[in-house]
Amino acid sequence: MDLVIAGAGKAGSLHYRAYSHLARSGRLDRDRIRFVDPIRRAGPELAALLRRDGVTEKVVADRAELTPTAPESTIVDLCLPSRTLAPALLEWWRAGYRKFVIEKPFTVPPELVDDVRRVLETSQAVLVRNYLHSQVHAAVRDLIGLYDLDPVLCVTNFSKDRRADNLRGRGASGTASPTVFEVEMPHQLYIGTDLLGEPAQVEYAEDLDPMTAPDGTPLRLGEGVIVGRAAHGAAFVHYSNLHYPTIVRSLDLFSRDGLSIHATYAPICEELADIKAGVMLCRGSTVISKRLFTSDDNMLGMVSHAFTRLSSDAPAHVDLDEVLRNSALIRSAVDEPAGPRPALGSARGDVLQGWVADSFKLGLEAGVGQAFLAFLEQRQRARLAGVLPALDPAFHTATPAPTSLRPPAAGRERLTREVLVP
């Protein structure tokens, strides 16, 4: 089976790495992988992977330069800027292709809704939702089922330092650069949807960015937060800081009965080696259950799933209505002004903690609110004491702890990345 990866940049390299694993197991022939990119060459990350595999770069600038033996059975993996995904999907479909892997975020302009619906109804397609294919997420779902949890608040924090990528135009299309809501937030939205059910509305969205384009306009790729509700009333807070010096992929889930789940997803690919992943179930400060993973390649799980589905004749349809709901949430965060902001205390902190800790205008039960405040304090203390680094990768080894949060001198330990013993 032929495979075409549209986009030879960072996203294309992340997907190729997973396909290369499939090739090593004999499920895919690397010589049948082609790349399409307007600059006609692989980006540095992809080029390094191809050299490692001893594969000659096969990058063409346009789809018309390809000569597939059977377009209808060729898998097309769209690793493109978000604003170009829907038009590109239509173009490939009109050229006879019928099997698609579609990167996030998949936003659809209103004028293309009917055309995209026709494409999805007559094609096999899989959306990239790699974090749902992680061992961490499976463990979270298992805990929810095992303890019959009723989540009322989901807080995610997906942050990293993307300043260099932002300045070199990663993810930009011919019309605009992405915003903070279009980079990590789509991952966070589908994680929240999987755990809470379909989101109903965004109550508040804010983005802050100290970086500006050459013409002085904000790049909108700094710090952002989306606060909203799922259809059955549970609240979600999704936070992302793309100027943060440490990679964070955390989930905190609070349930009505006082139990809470705290998890760290492993970042994909080259970032895997330095950060461990794990899940803890707690009641207050008591750990009831924990699982730690030294590796968790969610992109490989995602690509393997997609390849299996698209290699068969079984239906693999994407629900356009679900796509449009998530598209509307992202567009509302990008296009609409921020709603009323809670009155913040003198120590603002970051947008995430400022919102949750100072407002609780989400209608949560008082007990849940207090549990979350207590958790923030407990995690901060544990982080500074070096107790919980494996489940809180956002710590700074070189930053001195605030005096009020430091443990007693006799009990203070050097911060490390050692994992907890299961």
Side-chain angles (χ1 to χ4, degrees):
M1 176 175 286
D2 290 326
L3 169 67
V4 176
I5 299 178
K10 182 63 178 286
S13 72
L14 298 181
H15 287 220
Y16 170 78
R17 175 185 170 279
Y19 288 117
S20 180
H21 275 280
L22 298 186
R24 283 200 286 274
S25 64
R27 298 177 61 189
L28 175 67
D29 183 352
R30 287 196 191 96
D31 289 333
R32 300 182 70 175
I33 301 177
R34 301 290 187 273
F35 298 90
V36 176
D37 194 289
I39 66 173
R40 203 184 286 273
R41 69 175 183 274
E45 297 90 356
L46 176 59
L49 289 173
L50 294 174
R51 287 195 298 271
R52 179 202 69 182
D53 291 343
V55 175
T56 303
E57 281 192 24
K58 300 170 183 176
V59 185
V60 299
D62 187 80
R63 185 195 66 251
E65 298 180 50
L66 296 173
T67 55
T69 56
E72 68 282 356
S73 65
T74 297
I75 295 176
V76 179
D77 190 333
L78 298 172
C79 298
L80 301 172
S82 60
R83 295 167 192 246
T84 69
L85 279 170
L89 177 65
L90 289 174
E91 291 177 6
W92 285 89
W93 183 81
R94 288 167 179 155
Y97 295 85
R98 295 293 183 268
K99 295 177 182 285
F100 300 101
V101 178
I102 307 173
E103 251 289 357
K104 57 82 193 167
F106 184 29
T107 54
V108 183
E111 65 274 13
L112 295 183
V113 168
D114 290 340
D115 289 335
V116 170
R117 188 182 302 277
R118 186 179 310 110
V119 170
L120 296 179
E121 288 175 347
T122 58
S123 303
Q124 290 179 285
V126 176
L127 295 181
V128 174
R129 292 172 173 168
N130 49 292
Y131 286 95
L132 299 189
H133 293 266
S134 71
Q135 297 177 77
V136 166
H137 198 79
V140 171
R141 293 299 305 267
D142 287 346
L143 288 172
I144 292 174
L146 181 62
Y147 288 85
D148 194 24
L149 301 184
D150 181 13
V152 294
L153 172 64
C154 173
V155 181
T156 65
N157 178 357
F158 275 39
S159 297
K160 62 183 177 182
D161 189 347
R162 199 180 130 128
R163 286 169 291 185
D165 283 344
N166 295 347
L167 290 175
R168 76 181 186 185
R170 180 182 170 191
S173 65
T175 57
S177 296
T179 67
V180 67
F181 303 114
E182 297 165 279
V183 179
E184 301 294 349
M185 290 286 187
H187 288 303
Q188 297 166 259
L189 281 170
Y190 69 65
I191 288 173
T193 297
D194 189 65
L195 300 176
L196 302 181
E198 285 296 331
Q201 62 184 17
V202 169
E203 296 184 351
Y204 177 85
E206 179 180 6
D207 65 286
L208 304 171
D209 192 348
M211 298 177 68
T212 59
D215 62 1
T217 59
L219 289 177
R220 301 189 70 188
L221 273 165
E223 182 184 26
V225 65
I226 290 179
V227 181
R229 285 191 177 280
H232 77 282
F236 57 82
V237 180
H238 298 312
Y239 169 80
S240 182
N241 186 343
L242 300 179
H243 294 180
Y244 201 67
T246 310
I247 300 166
V248 184
R249 298 286 185 275
S250 67
L251 163 73
D252 301 305
L253 192 71
F254 298 86
S255 67
R256 199 174 302 279
D257 56 8
L259 291 173
S260 56
I261 293 175
H262 310 290
T264 291
Y265 296 89
I268 57 177
C269 302
E270 73 273 13
E271 300 158 348
L272 273 170
D274 190 43
I275 294 180
K276 308 302 186 291
V279 181
M280 293 200 322
L281 176 71
C282 302
R283 184 181 295 278
S285 60
T286 302
V287 177
I288 298 171
S289 174
K290 64 177 178 286
R291 289 190 64 189
L292 301 176
F293 306 95
T294 56
S295 64
D296 188 10
D297 195 338
N298 53 67
M299 183 59 80
L300 176 58
M302 170 68 226
V303 164
S304 179
H305 162 77
F307 188 79
T308 298
R309 292 191 67 184
L310 297 179
S311 298
S312 71
D313 294 326
H317 295 305
V318 169
D319 181 356
L320 179 61
D321 292 333
E322 178 186 349
V323 169
L324 294 178
R325 284 193 293 270
N326 285 328
S327 176
L329 287 176
I330 294 172
R331 289 168 66 90
S332 69
V334 172
D335 298 333
E336 296 176 10
R341 185 189 179 118
L344 297 173
S346 57
R348 173 181 173 274
D350 62 31
V351 174
L352 170 62
Q353 294 191 16
W355 173 274
V356 180
D358 291 341
S359 73
F360 279 101
K361 293 183 178 179
L362 299 172
L364 296 172
E365 299 171 359
V368 176
Q370 292 303 315
F372 182 69
L373 289 174
F375 167 70
L376 287 178
E377 182 176 357
Q378 291 162 7
R379 184 165 72 168
Q380 180 76 340
R381 287 180 182 276
R383 176 174 70 83
L384 294 170
V387 175
L388 200 59
L391 291 180
D392 188 3
F395 67 98
H396 302 286
T397 57
T399 302
T403 303
S404 62
L405 293 177
R406 289 178 184 168
R412 195 176 305 157
E413 301 176 16
R414 178 180 177 83
L415 293 179
T416 70
R417 285 188 182 273
E418 295 299 319
V419 301
L420 297 173
V421 177

